[in-house]
Amino acid sequence: MATTVEPTHSVRLTEPRPRVRSMRRRRLVGDIIAIIGASIIGVIFAMPFLWMVSSSLKDISEIYGFPPKFIPEAFKWSNYVDAWRALPFKTFFLNSIFVSVLTTLGAVLTCSLAGYSFARLRYPGRDKIFLAYLATMMIPFPVLMVPLFVIMKNLGLIDTLWSLILPAIFTPAGTFLMRQFILTLPRELEEAARVDGCGFFGVYWRIVLPLMKPVIATLAIFTFLGSWNEFLWPLISISSIDHKTLPLGLTMFQSRIAGRTPWNQVMASATFTIVPVLVLFVLGQKYYVKGIVTTGLKG
Amino acid sequence: MTLTRETKGQTGHRLRRRRMARSHDSATPVGPSPRRRMTRAGRKEAVAGYAFLLPNFLGFLAFSLIPIGFCIWLTFTKWNLVLPPQANGLQNYRDMVSDRLFWKTLWNSVYYTVGAVPAGIFIAFWLALLLNRGMRGVRIFRTVYFLPYVTLTVAIAIVWSWIYNPDLGLLNFLLGKIGINGPAWLQDPNWAMPAIIIMSNWKGIGYPMLIFLAALQGVPEEYYESARLDGASWLQQIRHVTVPGVAPATFYVVVISFIGAMQGFDQFYVMTQGGPAYATTTIVMYIYQQGFQWFNMGYAATLAVALFFLIAVVTALIWRSQARSAALTAN
């Protein structure tokens, strides 16, 4: 037996070095090709953003000149001031911030409470209610929008910011996310706290909530961005200019100015709308990506 | 005590259903009644449970559950928001079947879905494979590919309207450099939809890419090794190891993208307003027009319910085909 193994063994002893080196070299070449390919794709992906910023800094004569250039002849920063003044963007920003912040706070609070209730407390009908939550998660928004309009109208909330905040707070998806996370937490701490005489709210507030920080970050960033980007429902509910959010305000640029569109100002307004979102995303990327990868949340 | 509680918590639902099924057969209930009197601690817990759920549940009731029922009721009425709603029987459904705009806009949504979803998933898969090599700068590339997904669709759509501008736009300028006379894109009935499909794929690709990236990490390295030992080429490895390995992710991404695409609205509203000549009016846009521009609330509700059933049926079909192929590969 030993004699049959010996030859192959000796062959292997001499072979590995060149093979490892060639494999390493092949891996390096592959990496370089991958980086070049990824960079080209990256440029394609970044191009619309770069073109947006470039156009936003051009003079109107350059916008309508030919051929278009990537670097503006002179950087016209005043386009940003003009765009900001052309429409009440301050109001749009404040409205968007108000709606997104309150929606996020409301969602985190009510969804974490409901998630704790579903995950840990026992009471009759709990599973049936939870099933109803799951079932409505699959209902597309168009089914809700006509009735929501009527309900909001009857509540006297149509064309107010509350009509944008309220329906977005109580999402079944958020409650589901919270419940699933709490189920993965160890029970021992909560039981120990109960034994020590802590009430249910105390357990939630002092034990569960601190442990939920990562999932709350995930829910918060998803709710915030979702609310910030929402367009269809505000389009239905909001009619007065004082209550418009940013996406609605942006579209006014298109419809209001007839004839020669000041594309440089339009691009400036798109830029200062997009930048806060990008900053927020880059800051909270960890939680955002985790939310998508582990639970398939959709922004 | 704790033991019975544990089992109740975990399998209570199934147990109760079995119990209910049994009590259906024979009038006398067997075993302990599920509604036996609670202990004092149990009652306290139930009160806390309801109280914690209440804020969310009220909102869920008012803004999810009641609207769904309301929407179904509306489909049997004729209502313009001014006069009180009138009973209308099945007339809305009959109107829908003979409504040429309904079929046209439904077709537009299907066209958009078929154009955007498979191509997007295909590209996302290859992008994920590329990034999965784990070379330098992967994080930066991932962020750049993903950025369009988080930005406002409205802003993105405005930027792309400018890029698609027939005379001054970047795209036709670049096409002209390689000798192609670009079409009028959004103003051309034949090109408006492809233009929106291209833009939507650029915007949405980051989401399936992330899902695929996570799925790729889950394919065991040993599978690749044994495939390599069998002499499988790079493409064969992808075909026989990677693709089956990420099949659950693919299934998930197909379902989610399909549901999302069938509800396309924002970019259509901003870029073309549904034109030219209804070439890009999606079904959701048509629901919006019927409900909030022409105030046919009953009819709009009917269209929405039809859309829901279409989405539900196709999702179920995808589900079944996936279950069948999973059973085939398992054998």
Side-chain angles (χ1 to χ4, degrees):
Chain A
M1 184 130 183
T3 45
T4 52
V5 170
E6 196 63 26
T8 52
H9 187 68
S10 64
V11 169
R12 279 223 175 128
L13 262 182
T14 53
E15 273 246 318
R17 278 195 186 170
R19 198 190 275 172
V20 164
R21 202 182 292 163
S22 81
M23 267 178 71
R24 206 177 280 162
R25 196 181 301 155
R26 211 192 293 164
R27 165 120 196 120
L28 189 71
V29 172
D31 269 2
I32 290 171
I33 294 172
I35 289 178
I36 292 172
S39 306
I40 293 172
I41 299 166
V43 169
I44 295 173
F45 268 88
M47 184 68 80
F49 289 126
L50 300 176
W51 186 243
M52 169 184 81
V53 175
S54 151
S55 304
S56 76
L57 291 170
K58 284 177 182 168
D59 187 73
I60 193 72
S61 63
E62 215 185 336
I63 287 276
Y64 281 90
F66 202 85
K69 288 195 200 94
F70 266 95
I71 313 284
E73 268 168 30
F75 285 32
K76 219 184 151 201
W77 295 100
S78 60
N79 288 338
Y80 281 81
V81 181
D82 294 342
W84 185 265
R85 285 194 188 134
L87 288 169
F89 271 107
K90 192 181 158 198
T91 311
F92 301 155
F93 257 98
L94 290 177
N95 287 343
S96 271
I97 291 171
F98 182 76
V99 169
S100 300
V101 167
L102 280 189
T103 306
T104 307
L105 285 178
V108 166
L109 192 69
T110 69
C111 293
S112 65
L113 272 171
Y116 175 65
S117 171
F118 278 136
R120 286 290 199 253
L121 302 172
R122 282 167 296 254
Y123 46 90
R126 180 190 71 178
D127 295 343
K128 273 181 205 134
I129 300 172
F130 184 64
L131 217 64
Y133 269 70
L134 283 187
T136 55
M137 268 170 73
M138 294 183 297
I139 303 289
F141 179 70
V143 170
L144 302 177
M145 69 190 192
V146 173
L148 263 185
F149 179 82
V150 178
I151 290 171
M152 286 299 171
K153 209 170 166 132
N154 284 324
L155 292 173
L157 292 176
I158 215 73
D159 195 21
T160 68
L161 295 179
W162 293 105
S163 74
L164 308 185
I165 296 167
L166 287 175
I169 287 181
F170 313 99
T171 57
T175 309
F176 180 69
L177 177 72
M178 294 290 166
R179 173 189 182 263
Q180 296 312 95
F181 185 84
I182 296 171
L183 283 178
T184 66
L185 296 175
R187 276 169 177 269
E188 286 76 28
L189 269 175
E190 295 163 51
E191 272 158 15
R194 287 288 298 148
V195 169
D196 291 347
C198 193
F200 286 107
F201 187 78
V203 172
Y204 158 80
W205 189 254
R206 290 203 202 121
I207 314 257
V208 179
L209 213 51
L211 291 174
M212 284 172 74
K213 267 180 201 153
V215 76
I216 284 177
T218 301
L219 179 69
I221 187 165
F222 267 90
T223 313
F224 190 92
L225 286 179
S227 170
W228 188 270
N229 296 348
E230 178 62 42
F231 179 63
L232 175 53
W233 173 239
L235 182 71
I236 293 168
S237 177
I238 303 295
S239 47
S240 53
I241 192 166
D242 290 341
H243 297 151
K244 286 197 174 182
T245 51
L246 266 175
L248 287 181
L250 270 183
T251 60
M252 287 179 67
F253 235 126
Q254 283 195 311
S255 52
R256 179 171 277 194
I257 301 144
R260 253 163 81 118
T261 314
W263 280 108
N264 49 359
Q265 286 183 35
V266 177
M267 290 303 119
S269 66
T271 307
F272 62 59
T273 317
I274 284 177
V275 166
V277 180
L278 294 193
V279 171
L280 186 71
F281 168 69
V282 171
L283 288 179
Q285 194 178 7
K286 196 175 100 194
Y287 299 107
Y288 196 87
V289 170
K290 204 190 258 172
I292 285 181
V293 167
T294 57
T295 58
L297 277 179
K298 213 155 146 52
Chain B
M1 181 65 196
T2 44
L3 199 112
T4 53
R5 273 195 164 190
E6 275 310 309
T7 48
K8 207 189 162 198
Q10 278 160 17
T11 57
H13 189 66
R14 211 179 302 157
L15 270 177
R16 214 168 298 146
R17 217 194 283 168
R18 208 182 301 152
R19 243 182 251 142
M20 268 161 56
R22 245 189 284 159
S23 63
H24 250 280
D25 297 337
S26 57
T28 48
V30 188
S33 158
R35 289 212 179 158
R36 66 172 188 276
R37 293 195 64 189
M38 275 191 244
T39 58
R40 231 173 105 200
R43 207 178 303 136
K44 226 173 164 186
E45 185 174 338
V47 168
Y50 288 127
F52 284 16
L53 183 60
L54 193 67
N56 195 281
F57 185 73
L58 285 179
F60 171 70
L61 206 64
F63 306 118
S64 286
L65 220 50
I66 291 175
I68 292 169
F70 192 18
C71 186
I72 293 168
W73 176 78
L74 273 173
T75 66
F76 304 109
T77 63
K78 190 181 165 74
W79 191 22
N80 62 3
L81 279 180
V82 182
L83 301 167
Q86 296 167 347
N88 203 20
L90 291 171
Q91 192 56 42
N92 284 328
Y93 290 93
R94 261 180 247 131
D95 288 348
M96 184 175 76
V97 174
S98 56
D99 180 358
R100 282 181 59 194
L101 263 181
F102 163 67
W103 293 109
K104 168 82 181 155
T105 53
L106 190 64
W107 161 248
N108 285 341
S109 284
V110 171
Y111 177 13
Y112 169 69
T113 304
V114 171
V117 173
I121 291 174
F122 183 79
I123 299 168
F125 174 75
W126 289 100
L127 280 182
L129 265 184
L130 180 69
L131 293 190
N132 199 42
R133 284 187 67 92
M135 67 281 192
R136 234 166 249 260
V138 159
R139 279 205 172 163
I140 298 168
F141 291 129
R142 194 185 67 181
T143 307
V144 170
Y145 299 167
F146 194 75
L147 278 184
Y149 182 76
V150 288
T151 47
L152 295 84
T153 311
V154 171
I156 292 289
I158 290 173
V159 172
W160 278 77
S161 310
W162 170 228
I163 289 173
Y164 279 135
N165 189 302
D167 307 317
L168 307 161
L170 176 66
L171 187 62
N172 275 358
F173 169 67
L174 292 177
L175 284 176
K177 278 208 156 175
I178 52 171
I180 297 173
N181 204 351
W185 296 111
L186 299 171
Q187 275 105 291
D188 185 327
N190 293 319
W191 281 102
M193 189 60 97
I196 295 183
I197 289 173
I198 292 170
M199 172 263 164
S200 304
N201 265 329
W202 171 82
K203 181 175 191 308
I205 215 102
Y207 183 77
M209 183 194 75
L210 273 187
I211 303 269
F212 276 131
L213 255 176
L216 284 174
Q217 319 259 304
V219 183
E221 185 55 34
E222 296 88 68
Y223 289 10
Y224 290 106
E225 262 162 39
S226 58
R228 242 175 272 142
L229 281 178
D230 290 344
S233 70
W234 176 71
L235 253 168
Q236 281 170 324
Q237 285 176 43
I238 289 175
R239 168 126 174 53
H240 297 289
V241 179
T242 315
V243 171
V246 300
T250 313
F251 163 70
Y252 174 75
V253 159
V254 166
V255 168
I256 290 288
S257 311
F258 165 75
I259 294 174
M262 285 302 289
Q263 293 181 57
F265 178 86
D266 297 8
Q267 63 270 51
F268 296 89
Y269 185 88
V270 174
M271 290 169 85
T272 61
Q273 262 99 42
Y278 280 100
T280 55
T281 308
T282 62
I283 180 72
V284 175
M285 235 171 134
Y286 188 48
I287 297 171
Y288 170 78
Q289 283 181 345
Q290 283 287 353
F292 303 104
Q293 290 180 341
W294 307 332
F295 295 104
N296 298 321
M297 301 314 251
Y299 191 56
T302 313
L303 295 173
V305 169
L307 174 66
F308 166 67
F309 274 108
L310 184 78
I311 290 176
V313 166
V314 175
T315 306
L317 284 179
I318 301 174
W319 200 286
R320 254 183 60 185
S321 74
Q322 196 260 353
R324 201 182 303 142
S325 68
L328 279 177
T329 48
N331 282 336

